[in-house]
Amino acid sequence: LYDMASGSLSAKVDLGEGQYELLGFDADESHLLLCRKASYQNPAALLAIETKGGAIQETQIPCGTDEAQAGTMSAMPRLLGDQVIYGVYGALVVWDRNTDALNWYPVWKDEEHRLSEVFPCADRALAVNEEGGCAVVELSTGEVTPLEAVLPQPVSLQEGRPVAWSAGGRLLAAEGEEKIFLWNGKGELLAEIPLDNRRVCGCRFTPDGEELLFLCSDGYLYRHSVDGAFLSRVGISRYANTTLFTGVEWYFIDGGVALLAEKVLNVISYDGWGVSAYAANCWGYDPERDMILCYRYQGGSYDLGRFPRYTTEELIARGRSIVGGAVLSDETKSQYGIA
């Protein structure tokens, strides 16, 4: 655990054997929450790790209210405040880890339609089964609204399907076959955006909920209004000429958006919709401090560093100041075009 404020390690925790899914921090950032996946030896468990000190509290994740409902967790948990939301067979389960209250909402009643992914937001969630069938579930009442759509297998099975909710659960977007579906929060179809043989690697609504951004396999970040109209696109820098982006993360900042994919951070400015900054070997971005977190592999371990978000002009100026004070050979000067 790395403390961004002090720039130092706050805790180091040995999780032991097993496979883990990182869920995120709780509301007050006092604990980091992980799910230990079920194995032959152990049931699925929630691990709460203290961010100061690293003490671990383990709680078994309930998979039913009685023996008739008990089963195996089929969809990995997602956090929504203090609630942990996941799937068991064809049901969506909402567990409050503080009060231990458990709500069980059947979405698909036959065991052939196993719930495979859940995407919660505000007081509702999108539930998706293994065949790509989907429905919106009201978390306060359990009301289920089936959607007239089948979602394809995602580009990356590890990252999951590209799905986005706008703030407050007002709008919902998901990749379908050769199109992106746009619904309102109640599951009413608003628009369809054609993809023209592209696959979606990640998508997000802008904070005001007026635009949808989505990163595609052709290397472009697209920008559409929520009525489906195309606004603009921009090419995204990456390490290799690949058709896949994985590990996509989004950070909305003043005047633009920062997009992290394949350990490369691109900062796109709303003014002109172009890349204004770029960082490789990137592990994340801290919007509060406007700092980029980068790494360097050295001697069998990683060195971690925090850097300000320079503009291209600032980097050129810094490079000139460094080169101007360095003693370079004629060969090096010739290589980089330095007089």
Side-chain angles (χ1 to χ4, degrees), residues 124-180:
R124 51 180 58 105
L126 175 70
V128 185
N129 64 33
E130 291 178 339
E131 292 76 33
C134 49
V136 172
V137 182
E138 297 291 335
L139 300 180
S140 57
T141 64
E143 180 184 354
V144 177
T145 303
L147 301 181
E148 295 294 329
V150 175
L151 308 186
Q153 287 297 315
V155 170
S156 167
L157 293 175
Q158 182 179 358
E159 300 299 329
R161 288 180 171 87
V163 170
W165 285 98
S166 68
R170 186 175 65 88
L171 298 171
L172 170 64
E175 180 192 28
E177 292 286 353
E178 292 291 328
K179 67 184 71 173
I180 291 179

Side-chain angles (χ1 to χ4, degrees), residues 28 45 66 74 89 96 104 142 166 188 213 225 269 277 294 303 312:
D28 60 4
D66 53 42
S74 57
Y89 293 143
D96 190 307
W104 183 283
S166 68
E188 298 168 340
L213 310 180
S225 63
S269 172
C294 293
D303 292 335
T312 303

Side-chain angles (χ1 to χ4, degrees), residues 5-177:
S6 64
S8 61
L9 200 67
S10 63
K12 186 176 181 180
V13 182
D14 183 1
L15 297 175
E17 295 182 358
Q19 291 184 309
Y20 299 87
E21 187 84 11
L22 186 64
L23 304 183
F25 292 97
D26 58 9
D28 60 4
E29 296 187 349
S30 61
H31 292 85
L32 175 67
L33 303 179
L34 296 91
C35 173
R36 187 186 65 211
K37 298 180 180 179
S39 65
Y40 178 76
Q41 298 89 351
N42 298 300
L46 182 74
L47 274 63
I49 303 173
E50 291 183 1
T51 53
K52 301 295 184 183
I56 301 178
Q57 178 183 357
E58 181 178 319
T59 307
Q60 183 174 336
I61 297 177
C63 288
T65 56
D66 53 42
E67 291 185 1
Q69 291 179 327
T72 303
M73 187 168 59
S74 57
M76 289 303 296
R78 301 286 182 115
L79 286 181
L80 187 64
D82 290 323
Q83 294 179 323
V84 183
I85 302 173
Y86 50 98
V88 176
Y89 293 143
L92 184 142
V93 182
V94 182
W95 171 46
D96 190 307
R97 68 184 189 90
N98 290 329
T99 66
D100 212 31
L102 192 71
N103 288 316
W104 183 283
Y105 301 135
V107 183
W108 293 280
K109 296 183 179 180
D110 57 281
E111 293 188 5
E112 294 182 359
H113 293 86
R114 288 167 55 90
L115 199 155
S116 62
E117 288 184 278
V118 293
F119 303 91
C121 180
D123 58 354
R124 51 180 58 105
L126 175 70
V128 185
N129 64 33
E130 291 178 339
E131 292 76 33
C134 49
V136 172
V137 182
E138 297 291 335
L139 300 180
S140 57
T141 64
E143 180 184 354
V144 177
T145 303
L147 301 181
E148 295 294 329
V150 175
L151 308 186
Q153 287 297 315
V155 170
S156 167
L157 293 175
Q158 182 179 358
E159 300 299 329
R161 288 180 171 87
V163 170
W165 285 98
S166 68
R170 186 175 65 88
L171 298 171
L172 170 64
E175 180 192 28
E177 292 286 353

